[in-house]
Amino acid sequence: MASIGKIARRTFLFGMAAVAGGVAVGYYYYRRPYPNPLEGELAEGEVTFNPYLKIGSDNTITVIAPRAEMGQGISTTLAAFVAEELDVTLDRLKVEHGPPSYAYYNAAMLEEGAGFNFWDDSFTAETVRGLMGAAGKMLGLQATGGSTAARDGFDRMRQAGAAARIMLIEAAAARLGVPARDLATDNGTIVHKASNRSVTYGEVALDASKLSPPSTVALKEKADWKLLGKPQKRVDMLAKVTGAPIFGIDVRQPDMLFGTVRMSPVFGVKPVRADTSAAAKMPGVVKIVPIDSSYGSGFGVIAENTWAAFKAAEAIDVEWGKPDYPLSNDEIMTRIADAAKTGEASPMRDDGDVDVAFADAPQDRVIEAEYSVPYLSHAPMEPMNCTARLKDGVLDVWAPNQMPVLVRWFCSDIAGVPGDKTMVHTTSMGGAFGRRGELDYALYATILAKETNGRPVQVTWTREEDMRRGPFRPASVGKFRARIGNDGLPVAVDMRVAAQNMMASLMSRTFTSLPAGGSDPSITDGSRNQPYTIPNYRVSEIQVPDLPIPVTFWRSVGNSVNGFFHECFMDEIAQAGGIDPVEMRRKLMANHPAALAVVNKVAEMSGWGEALPEGKAKGFAFTLSFGSWCGQVIQIADTPSGIKLEKMWIAVEVGTALDPGIIETQMTSGAVYGLSAAMGQAITFEDGRVVQSNFHDFDAMRIFQAPEFEVAILENFHRMGGAGEVGVPPAAPALANALFALKGQRFRSLPLSKEVAFA
């Protein structure tokens, strides 16, 4: 657990960031609601009840789901919160993302970063979580991330639907001249059964909107849910399967120009020499614009079509500066490995006395291992893009993004227009998982929009630009040792995990004037906070200095690294102690019933312990991340064409399953994401530049390689967990542990394709 001092420092930095962005925290009183951002943009005949709901006199009901839809299904779940309490079915709703607004703050995201183990319900833990949640409200940070969207909206959006329903019933009671208690709602209609009279929501919406909202509302009990707790049809599915223009790259505006960027492939340097004259004369090219930003230096190209912009960007004759960091991938990884061995360590979990436990340990009872993972690209299927128009003192930005308030802050500053004259239109996203939480694509589009005399410009990156510029999931190296007791269980574990400080990297690109030091919990997430009881248990964070390679959030963040490190090393401990890997987990997790139930369920599902034919093996892994407890077992087979992934079983404890269908798809998609990285993905460097450029050398698992999946969803724990990232962390270690069971050889470095071939 992080110290209170470190927690306070992180909270302070977030607060300073908000002030720097224009939010004076002291101005806002915690219990005072933010203004409803929908009031200024209502259509004729439309009224709003709160930031999450609009109703038209034509009975159109619009729910605002203010979190980014990147395929994870969150727009469906958030809409269901309102619909459940409003008493309408999802097919009666329109769902929109809505404008950037402090009213859509994400409190759960900061609560998640409070630094306490998820199962810790102590007074101190709950107090700090409450303070962090309050800070989230005061900062007004509208953000999608950390698998927090459903947890954050669970109470607020249900309350929004319930309050509106009460107001609509009161207005209907006045219209019909009957007591409100005698009325009932039925899918958008308010009914007085005694007189067989009814009115629709649309008919009384205007009257209802003039009433004062109730000070308190009673939400439905779980047993009375009609929508929540059951699989629902995705509200975004029809648009996606019919090719509707819902993504950022689909945006079209009248008189639109197109553009791209070519930024320095060497991080932190500017062009030494550049000649843009030939590129500027190419057919269709309008203008070439120098770019110098906190994200990097290079050139933007404005053209009459995207292809012309791409070709002109290629034609720029430019010599880039030399890197001030190691040139080769081996040198970079050696620097990280050296930090893991000798760097200054900050214990993030320190149970017992690890040094004493190892001091008199017999050498034959001590095991040691070093693990490593590479940098990774997000590689979303929809490349980075943004459309911007600066006209008549108003900036419009159409962007698939995870941070609309930050997009508004920074783009308005670049354009030189007030925030209330900056309109951010958040589109659906063809993949993101952290990458679209960055701001570079929106900043570059705004820079180019300043050069187009009021014409909108859509800036689309090439796949190569996206792949080679990052920001990336950090590379990491872990040094581990364990002392094995006479009963085969670990007496002591010491884990040293080294990586770049992701938060410092992020701050260097955004709030550049603020201090960027302090702890980065993502370095040890997935190791320091696992539900294992070991007498002497230390997990230390080691920050790798002087590496300017940009790093950021990636799906499951540090858990994607430490899930592999921690669970593979636990497998090594079980082997050294002569204990079955699942049985060892049962013993070490005995104090955590939720974890134990997951282990038992996935073992039962997979037939763990049953004899397998020769040439087949199973591997197990477990990770608690984002509030959900996830165990996975994978079965593999050795075939003439390589290792075949046959089947994966997943058990996940989520506390409350809001939509089992979406949870199941997120578990399988997360596992595919994690397995893809484990099998064959890596960002590597030569001459200080990224080697990989496209999907031919940074490929994902193909359909024929994917295992069959079976998912079990448990609801035992008293707190709700997330879903979008939870399936990723156990996937790589489960596969690596299965390979050991099959081949008797440990693979401690990813990707595994360096050592084995996959069918």
Side-chain angles (χ1 to χ4, degrees):
M1 185 184 73
S3 70
I4 295 296
K6 289 176 179 173
I7 293 167
R9 175 172 173 77
R10 288 201 295 271
T11 306
F12 170 76
L13 289 177
F14 274 116
M16 288 299 294
V19 173
V23 180
V25 174
Y27 171 79
Y28 179 73
Y29 297 96
Y30 170 63
R31 296 189 180 277
R32 181 181 298 173
Y34 283 110
N36 183 349
L38 306 180
E39 291 178 347
E41 54 179 43
L42 295 171
E44 185 177 352
E46 190 175 49
V47 298
T48 179
F49 293 82
N50 49 63
Y52 303 103
L53 180 63
K54 298 184 292 186
I55 297 179
S57 58
D58 61 354
N59 288 310
T60 299
I61 302 172
T62 303
V63 168
I64 304 301
R67 298 290 177 257
E69 178 59 71
M70 59 188 84
Q72 81 278 37
I74 194 59
S75 56
T76 301
T77 300
L78 296 182
F81 289 160
V82 177
E84 182 68 71
E85 297 293 340
L86 192 61
D87 195 20
V88 295
T89 55
L90 284 176
D91 59 0
R92 292 292 310 276
L93 304 177
K94 288 174 56 181
V95 183
E96 298 176 355
H97 184 278
S101 172
Y102 304 137
Y104 302 125
Y105 64 89
N106 188 335
M109 199 169 181
L110 285 191
E111 289 174 7
E112 184 77 26
F116 293 88
N117 290 324
F118 186 72
W119 62 83
D120 187 347
D121 292 328
S122 67
F123 174 79
T124 301
E126 289 296 280
T127 299
V128 174
R129 288 189 187 111
L131 290 171
M132 295 291 280
K137 181 174 183 179
M138 288 189 288
L139 296 176
L141 185 62
Q142 183 182 2
T144 305
S147 296
T148 58
R151 287 180 282 168
D152 183 74
F154 183 59
D155 286 332
R156 276 189 283 159
M157 295 189 69
R158 288 189 301 146
Q159 289 166 356
R165 179 174 172 270
I166 291 171
M167 295 163 72
L168 290 163
I169 289 174
E170 289 181 1
R175 175 79 62 91
L176 298 174
V178 299
R181 64 177 178 273
D182 293 342
L183 297 175
T185 54
D186 180 17
N187 200 21
T189 301
I190 305 165
V191 180
H192 184 244
K193 293 182 180 179
S195 64
N196 198 29
R197 291 181 296 161
S198 65
V199 293
T200 65
Y201 286 180
E203 288 176 308
V204 296
L206 179 60
D207 293 339
S209 69
K210 298 175 182 177
L211 301 174
S212 298
S215 57
T216 60
V217 294
L219 300 176
K220 290 183 182 179
E221 296 294 330
K222 186 176 180 181
D224 298 323
W225 286 350
K226 297 178 181 179
L227 303 176
L228 298 176
K230 304 174 180 65
Q232 301 297 326
K233 291 183 179 179
R234 292 273 296 266
V235 298
D236 57 336
M237 194 53 65
L238 179 63
K240 288 180 176 178
V241 300
T242 56
I246 61 174
F247 297 99
I249 206 166
D250 298 325
V251 170
R252 291 295 181 269
Q253 292 292 318
D255 200 28
M256 192 159 81
L257 292 167
F258 299 85
T260 193
V261 294
R262 183 179 174 188
M263 306 301 291
S264 172
V266 181
F267 302 111
V269 306
K270 300 180 179 181
V272 173
R273 178 192 57 78
D275 182 356
T276 62
S277 57
K281 295 175 183 176
M282 294 177 68
V285 174
V286 175
K287 193 171 188 179
I288 296 179
V289 180
I291 295 176
D292 187 13
S293 76
S294 59
Y295 275 89
S297 299
F299 303 91
V301 179
I302 304 170
E304 295 293 342
N305 60 74
T306 300
W307 183 248
F310 283 179
K311 300 307 290 183
E314 290 178 9
I316 295 173
D317 181 15
V318 58
E319 177 185 348
W320 306 103
K322 301 295 183 183
D324 60 357
Y325 50 90
L327 297 180
S328 72
N329 201 69
D330 287 346
E331 291 175 293
I332 292 170
M333 294 306 297
T334 296
R335 177 175 291 188
I336 301 172
D338 288 344
K341 294 173 187 174
T342 62
E344 181 181 352
S346 299
M348 304 303 288
R349 178 172 185 165
D350 200 357
D351 302 342
D353 194 325
V354 170
D355 292 331
V356 170
F358 279 101
D360 63 349
Q363 202 60 33
D364 63 347
R365 305 303 291 171
V366 174
I367 63 171
E368 297 185 358
E370 179 176 299
Y371 282 83
S372 67
V373 295
Y375 292 95
L376 290 176
S377 171
H378 298 76
M381 290 302 294
E382 180 190 18
M384 293 296 104
N385 69 88
C386 180
T387 302
R389 178 183 62 207
L390 180 60
K391 185 177 182 179
D392 299 330
V394 175
L395 175 65
D396 282 280
V397 178
W398 293 267
N401 76 94
Q402 294 174 250
M403 301 279 186
V405 167
L406 292 188
V407 170
R408 182 176 64 185
W409 284 359
F410 285 86
C411 290
S412 66
D413 184 59
I414 288 174
V417 300
D420 61 0
K421 296 295 184 181
T422 300
M423 313 302 169
V424 178
H425 314 274
T426 299
T427 67
S428 292
M429 306 176 199
F433 294 109
R435 179 60 184 90
R436 299 187 201 273
E438 297 284 337
L439 306 173
D440 45 2
Y441 50 90
L443 303 186
Y444 297 160
T446 303
I447 290 171
L448 267 59
K450 293 173 67 176
E451 307 293 331
T452 61
N453 297 317
R455 295 178 67 181
V457 56
Q458 182 178 80
V459 180
T460 305
W461 297 28
T462 64
R463 176 63 59 190
E464 291 76 11
E465 186 70 33
D466 181 25
M467 193 78 72
R468 289 173 170 162
R469 280 294 308 170
F472 308 103
R473 195 282 306 270
S476 182
V477 175
K479 291 283 292 181
F480 307 102
R481 59 176 178 156
R483 176 179 177 175
I484 312 299
N486 294 331
D487 58 359
L489 296 175
V491 173
V493 173
D494 191 14
M495 302 184 170
R496 295 170 54 92
V497 183
Q500 291 172 249
N501 186 320
M502 186 185 67
M503 293 305 298
S505 180
L506 179 62
M507 292 288 280
S508 72
R509 297 187 293 275
T510 51
F511 299 103
T512 56
S513 62
L514 295 180
S519 173
D520 180 2
S522 71
I523 293 176
T524 54
D525 265 345
S527 285
R528 62 178 165 81
N529 46 11
Q530 296 307 292
Y532 290 85
T533 302
I534 299 171
N536 306 282
Y537 192 173
R538 183 168 64 199
V539 181
S540 298
E541 165 193 312
I542 302 159
Q543 297 185 20
V544 181
D546 303 325
L547 273 182
I549 298 168
V551 293
T552 194
F553 302 94
W554 189 86
R555 191 173 184 180
S556 79
V557 202
N559 295 281
S560 68
V561 172
N562 288 283
F564 175 64
F565 289 173
H566 191 275
E567 289 302 287
C568 285
F569 192 59
M570 285 295 165
D571 216 62
E572 293 204 44
I573 292 172
Q575 178 209 358
I579 303 178
D580 175 82
V582 167
E583 187 58 33
M584 187 188 78
R585 271 32 173 250
R586 288 180 172 131
K587 293 179 183 295
L588 297 180
M589 295 179 179
N591 294 337
H592 299 279
L596 190 59
V598 166
V599 173
N600 289 336
K601 182 62 177 179
V602 78
E604 174 193 349
M605 293 165 60
S606 63
W608 185 269
E610 296 175 359
L612 289 172
E614 186 176 353
K616 295 179 183 284
K618 292 175 180 173
F620 170 88
F622 172 98
T623 308
L624 167 58
S625 64
F626 306 99
S628 291
W629 322 60
C630 186
Q632 297 179 357
V633 172
I634 192 167
Q635 180 172 307
I636 62 174
D638 201 353
T639 74
S641 56
I643 301 297
K644 173 65 178 174
L645 281 56
E646 293 190 325
K647 186 167 184 177
M648 175 174 271
W649 297 266
I650 303 174
V652 61
E653 165 63 58
V654 297
T656 301
L658 298 170
D659 189 318
I662 287 178
I663 293 172
E664 181 174 349
T665 58
Q666 285 308 294
M667 291 307 113
T668 56
S669 76
V672 168
Y673 206 84
L675 290 170
S676 294
M679 290 165 64
Q681 292 180 343
I683 290 295
T684 60
F685 295 83
E686 289 180 5
D687 297 324
R689 305 182 183 197
V690 172
V691 173
Q692 289 70 31
S693 62
N694 212 310
F695 289 119
H696 72 282
D697 53 6
F698 192 89
D699 205 1
M701 172 191 287
R702 299 306 178 99
I703 290 176
F704 73 87
Q705 294 178 300
E708 177 188 352
F709 288 100
E710 182 179 338
V711 178
I713 301 170
L714 307 182
E715 298 181 84
N716 297 316
F717 200 64
H718 60 278
R719 292 176 61 202
M720 187 190 304
E725 299 166 275
V726 174
V728 178
L735 178 57
N737 291 339
L739 285 169
F740 172 78
L742 182 68
K743 293 180 171 290
Q745 180 182 357
R746 287 285 173 195
F747 301 106
R748 299 187 178 100
S749 179
L750 297 182
L752 297 167
S753 57
K754 294 186 295 185
E755 304 291 344
V756 299
F758 290 94

